[in-house]
Amino acid sequence: MSRLILYMGARFGRFAVLLFALPLFCPTVLWFWFLDRHPLAVIAAGAIAIPAAMLSMVLLIGTLFAGFRPSKVEGIARESAPKLWAIWESIAGKHRASRTTIVLSPDLNASIGEERPFLGLLGRRAILTIGLPLLAVTDQKAFAAILVHENAHLRNKDTNGGLNLAELEKSFDLIFDFAPPGKAVSGSLFYWMLGPLSRALEREEIRLSRRAEIDADRHAAMSGDAYEAARALLLIGAASAFFDDQVYIPLKRELLGTMVPPRPPLERVLAAARHLSRLPILQEHAQKAWDAPDNESADHPPWSERLIALGFSSVPKIEPILVSALSSLLSDAIVAERVRHFDDEWTSNIADDLER
């Protein structure tokens, strides 16, 4: 059954909820059939038929709203980052860039997704998320290679399966808003029914994501320079290993015995990023990234698998960055404001956790 739902979900998105909604109407149909024939049975069966009918109606409403409500994300205006927008427009083209929202994040990552708000009647909207740490560990050449990779996800249309599955999941959200699990019997039963499906959805989304990453890497290599595509991957992989050693593992130790929030991570990450301009440190951590084992629950393949797909059988020697994309593409004022925002948010969350 899970395979059938995944098959339908990947192709028809939110409309796959009909597999749930139509069977839920069956008890209601039987209930009306017994209405004149067995009144006592009608009274007893109402405890099942009425909640089933309500759940089916909520599912059908969720089908509409899954493709109606756009995400509320705070994008960076073109006037605030003209150089960043110019690079994206040169790669994606004016039309696609005009339908893109660029969002800055505190993560060492870049990603792109699509939404079809208002039932898709107004077309698709792309949301490009760019991490400040990623800008700090790449230069403009490497950053451009990363954007070519992200644009390849749109060109290859490999977001379609994931987008459809995401819309299917959004359709279920309204059910749990209407009947929260643990508080409503119908919501708890539906949550129990979706247990096996949710695990299957997660596995399928990971499989689609991993395949899409390899395809986008290859597209980026064919569109430009395979070395630059590999260099961009290794700059991120080396930075991830380096930040684990220098920032995140020490931060976890500090959090174990502290009563007040320590120095926030983004400030530390951006300070540590400068050390990656030294070739020995960069190459050492690039090798660590290559040697890292596969995390089967991750939605990205291991670095070694991605580089092998680009034709590299071992870690190539990579050129360190001289001028970061962070300093060349964003103003100091924008960077300072975003760092303060993200670190304040992190500090507030940690303070709340420590008080509990």
Side-chain angles (χ1 to χ4, degrees):
M1 183 64 177
S2 293
R3 287 188 177 183
L4 173 63
I5 294 170
L6 287 175
Y7 177 86
M8 298 289 288
R11 282 153 182 80
F12 302 108
R14 57 187 181 274
F15 297 106
V17 301
L18 294 174
L19 292 172
F20 294 91
L22 294 180
L24 283 171
F25 270 117
C26 293
T28 309
V29 173
L30 289 173
W31 191 65
F32 279 113
W33 187 77
F34 278 113
L35 189 61
D36 292 329
R37 294 168 176 80
H38 304 282
L40 293 178
V42 169
I43 295 172
I48 298 174
I50 294 175
M54 294 177 70
L55 284 176
S56 60
M57 289 302 297
V58 171
L59 267 177
L60 293 176
I61 294 171
T63 301
L64 298 177
F65 278 91
F68 184 80
R69 296 178 294 183
S71 296
K72 295 179 180 179
V73 292
E74 183 182 353
I76 185 168
R78 188 183 294 264
E79 298 77 21
S80 301
K83 294 180 181 178
L84 182 66
W85 272 97
I87 292 180
W88 174 241
E89 189 173 279
S90 69
I91 291 168
K94 289 187 177 182
H95 177 70
R96 182 167 291 159
S98 68
R99 301 191 63 80
T100 301
T101 301
I102 298 181
V103 181
L104 297 179
S105 82
D107 305 316
L108 179 66
N109 192 25
S111 63
I112 197 161
E114 287 185 294
E115 288 187 336
R116 293 178 287 209
F118 302 104
L119 303 179
L121 298 176
L122 302 181
R124 299 180 178 222
R125 180 174 69 132
I127 301 175
L128 174 63
T129 304
I130 300 168
L132 293 179
L134 181 137
L135 289 168
V137 301
T138 57
D139 52 20
Q140 287 199 36
K141 288 191 299 182
F143 180 61
I146 292 166
L147 290 187
V148 171
H149 168 101
E150 299 304 330
N151 188 50
H153 284 305
L154 301 179
R155 291 175 59 90
N156 294 344
K157 300 186 183 300
D158 55 33
T159 63
N160 287 359
L163 176 61
N164 285 338
L165 291 177
E167 287 187 344
L168 176 60
E169 287 186 291
K170 282 184 180 180
S171 298
F172 297 138
D173 289 344
L174 201 63
I175 275 282
F176 301 128
D177 290 341
F178 168 75
K183 295 183 179 180
V185 175
S186 55
S188 299
L189 288 173
F190 198 74
Y191 185 81
W192 175 77
M193 289 169 54
L194 288 179
L197 176 61
S198 65
R199 291 188 289 272
L201 274 171
E202 182 180 4
R203 289 194 299 269
E204 181 65 9
E205 286 174 345
I206 289 173
R207 187 189 71 81
L208 288 171
S209 177
R210 287 187 167 217
R211 187 182 68 185
E213 290 302 317
I214 296 293
D215 289 345
D217 286 340
R218 287 173 171 159
H219 181 94
M222 289 186 294
S223 298
D225 185 335
Y227 168 77
E228 284 300 334
R231 175 175 176 261
L233 289 177
L234 276 175
L235 285 171
I236 300 172
S240 178
F242 183 69
F243 293 154
D244 280 343
D245 291 344
Q246 300 297 317
V247 177
Y248 295 114
I249 293 175
L251 182 58
K252 285 182 180 179
R253 288 197 295 263
E254 290 179 35
L255 286 168
L256 290 175
T258 188
M259 298 298 293
V260 295
R263 183 185 173 198
L266 185 54
E267 179 186 338
R268 299 185 189 204
V269 163
L270 297 185
R274 293 192 291 267
H275 296 289
L276 288 169
S277 61
R278 296 170 56 188
L279 181 58
I281 293 178
L282 180 62
Q283 206 67 36
E284 174 192 351
H285 288 86
Q287 185 64 53
K288 281 188 177 182
W290 177 280
D291 295 334
D294 185 10
N295 179 2
E296 294 183 356
S297 63
D299 57 5
H300 281 51
W303 300 108
S304 56
E305 183 179 332
R306 297 177 69 176
L307 289 161
I308 287 171
L310 295 181
F312 294 87
S313 58
S314 61
V315 180
K317 186 176 180 179
I318 56 176
E319 174 190 349
I321 67 169
L322 299 177
V323 179
S324 73
L326 186 67
S327 61
S328 62
L329 298 179
L330 292 178
S331 69
D332 292 342
I334 289 291
V335 173
E337 187 277 326
R338 288 287 86 192
V339 171
R340 183 168 56 253
H341 169 78
F342 291 129
D343 278 347
D344 286 350
E345 191 175 64
W346 181 88
T347 300
S348 176
N349 291 335
I350 293 299
D352 290 344
D353 289 342
L354 292 175
E355 288 176 0
R356 293 172 185 169

